[in-house]
């Protein structure tokens, strides 16, 4: 396992994923009943952007750096506020230094009664994750393969909740593994929300996963994609997307505002494009 998320923390792909994650959490909180969250590929939870890894790539300048440079106003600004406020809260001074990973966003934006499960396979990253969240009674950490974590943790005792599937996509069979995770997940908890992140390097993963998920879930599958540059010209990470199974009902309308705004903000030399579509409409 070579992948370390510290090299990429806060980049344009993290921004899209984390903005959607935060909107799902906010919509889950609209109901009083508790929910569960399984972060199946959690990473370490929080990142020091002044550290060696982030300092090698400066990828955060392509993402959160752009949002901080020029505040977003209007409805999009309101929808972004819980994410931006959390980013500000993890700083110890007025300088941008720390970036909250998905477990940090989940732990800060969920409630006392919610139940949180953070899983990470990399042994060193797992140690950081375990250490950081050991004092929080709502959180259980696991060092398992994500498929095993999904099989053993679902269904949530709370009866509702979210599974975040966010693998590195470094292995050639990663899309196939994601498909298996979703199959097992839906077998165990058909009405849970599943949010799957994928990179756009060429269009293959997006097209393949879209077809598979729509056919498997059959209804209520939303896809949001933001490309910051032309996929043919990039040679690297041109953008990313999220496929959401069983999204909360207001998420489509919110992303209808956020996807164009994020595309405008994150695009490189006006090459960006954003899409939001139902892969399978809700009934
Ligand atoms: C993209 S990063 C996760 C970032 C994190 N979700 C966030 O948004 O802050 C993917 C993580 O998955 C871990 N990983 C790789 N293969 C895994 C597997 N089979 N099961 C669980 N975790 C895995 C990697 O070590 C890495 O930390």
């Amino acid at each position: 396992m070579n992948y370390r998320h510290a090299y990429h923390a806060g980049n344009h792909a993290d921004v899209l994923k984390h903005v959607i994650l935060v909107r799902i959490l906010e919509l889950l909180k609209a109901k009083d009943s508790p929910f569960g969250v399984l972060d199946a590929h959690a990473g370490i939870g929080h990142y020091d952007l002044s550290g060696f890894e982030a300092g090698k790539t400066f990828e955060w300048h392509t993402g959160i750096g752009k949002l901080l440079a020029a505040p977003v106003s209007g409805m999009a600004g309101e929808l972004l506020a819980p994410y931006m406020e959390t980013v500000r809260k993890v700083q110890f001074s007025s300088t941008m230094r720390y970036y909250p990973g998905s477990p940090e966003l989940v732990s800060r934006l969920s409630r006392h009664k919610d139940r949180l499960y953070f899983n990470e396979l990399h042994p060193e990253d797992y140690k950081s994750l375990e250490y950081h969240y050991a004092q929080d009674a709502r959180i259980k950490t696991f060092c398992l393969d994500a498929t095993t974590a999904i099989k053993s943790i679902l269904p949530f005792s709370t009866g509702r909740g979210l599974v975040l599937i966010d693998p590195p996509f470094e292995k050639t069979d990663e899309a196939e593994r994601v498909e298996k995770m979703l199959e097992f997940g839906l077998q165990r908890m058909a009405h849970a929300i599943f949010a799957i992140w994928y990179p756009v390097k060429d269009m293959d993963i997006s097209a393949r996963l879209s077809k598979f998920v729509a056919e498997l879930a059959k209804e209520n599958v939303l896809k949001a994609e933001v490309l910051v540059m032309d996929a043919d010209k990039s040679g690297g990470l041109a953008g990313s997307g999220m496929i959401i199974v069983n999204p909360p009902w207001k998420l489509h309308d919110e992303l209808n505002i956020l996807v164009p705004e994020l595309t405008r903000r994150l695009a490189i030399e006006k090459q960006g494009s954003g899409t939001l579509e139902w892969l399978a409409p809700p009934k």
Side-chain angles (χ1 to χ4, degrees):
M1 292 179 69
N2 293 323
Y3 182 92
R4 310 307 288 274
H5 195 64
Y7 288 96
H8 312 292
N11 70 5
H12 58 83
D14 255 10
V15 168
L16 177 71
K17 168 178 60 189
H18 293 155
V19 166
I20 295 177
L21 170 65
V22 168
R23 290 319 312 162
I24 293 174
L25 293 169
E26 292 301 296
L27 292 169
L28 279 168
K29 285 191 288 185
K31 279 194 193 151
D32 203 36
S33 59
F35 56 79
V37 178
L38 166 56
D39 191 341
H41 305 79
I44 59 175
H46 53 103
Y47 297 91
D48 183 351
L49 300 176
S50 72
F52 169 79
E53 294 92 343
K56 277 211 106 169
T57 60
F58 289 104
E59 283 193 26
W60 69 276
H61 289 251
T62 70
I64 189 63
K66 287 190 171 176
L67 290 191
L68 287 166
V72 179
S73 57
M75 197 57 208
E78 278 175 38
L79 293 171
L80 285 173
Y83 166 66
M84 298 302 291
E85 274 161 25
T86 310
V87 172
R88 286 193 191 100
K89 276 186 193 151
V90 300
Q91 314 304 325
F92 292 106
S93 70
S94 56
T95 326
M96 176 68 186
R97 174 164 176 189
Y98 297 101
Y99 184 75
S102 50
E104 190 66 17
L105 291 163
V106 170
S107 70
R108 284 178 177 264
L109 291 166
S110 50
R111 304 158 303 180
H112 186 65
K113 58 189 160 191
D114 302 321
R115 292 291 167 263
L116 315 177
Y117 308 89
F118 297 161
N119 178 67
E120 166 58 45
L121 188 60
H122 194 292
E124 273 176 46
D125 284 0
Y126 175 71
K127 268 192 210 153
S128 305
L129 183 77
E130 184 188 33
Y131 175 78
H132 195 71
Y133 297 105
Q135 303 304 320
D136 190 331
R138 303 169 303 163
I139 299 174
K140 288 197 170 95
T141 55
F142 302 84
C143 185
L144 298 170
D145 173 67
T147 309
T148 312
I150 287 171
K151 282 185 187 170
S152 45
I153 294 163
L154 293 186
F156 297 128
S157 58
T158 50
R160 68 188 187 115
L162 162 71
V163 180
L164 176 63
I165 297 177
D166 181 23
F169 283 93
E170 287 214 310
K171 297 191 176 123
T172 48
D173 65 345
E174 202 84 80
E176 206 178 315
R177 286 139 82 84
V178 167
E179 290 165 4
K180 282 271 168 264
M181 285 174 215
L182 184 65
E183 249 177 323
F184 289 128
L186 284 169
Q187 275 164 19
R188 277 169 176 67
M189 201 169 169
H191 58 282
I193 302 164
F194 292 86
I196 302 165
W197 178 89
Y198 61 85
V200 178
K201 291 185 176 168
D202 48 52
M203 299 309 280
D204 284 346
I205 295 176
S206 174
R208 176 189 167 142
L209 279 181
S210 300
K211 184 170 182 296
F212 179 88
V213 179
E215 282 173 10
L216 180 72
K218 295 190 179 64
E219 62 187 67
N220 212 7
V221 183
L222 188 61
K223 170 171 135 172
E225 205 168 87
V226 171
L227 306 193
V228 298
M229 64 179 95
D230 193 327
D232 296 336
K233 289 185 197 150
S234 81
L237 187 68
S240 63
M242 292 277 270
I243 297 178
I244 307 118
V245 180
N246 300 325
W249 71 274
K250 281 188 181 165
L251 189 69
H252 175 273
D253 291 352
E254 293 191 354
L255 294 184
N256 217 8
I257 298 167
L258 286 169
V259 167
E261 185 67 36
L262 290 176
T263 306
R264 256 194 307 279
R265 296 284 171 154
L266 302 175
I268 296 167
E269 293 167 6
K270 298 191 176 158
Q271 284 183 64
S273 60
T275 50
L276 178 68
E277 61 179 310
W278 286 110
L279 296 178
K283 272 220 169 131

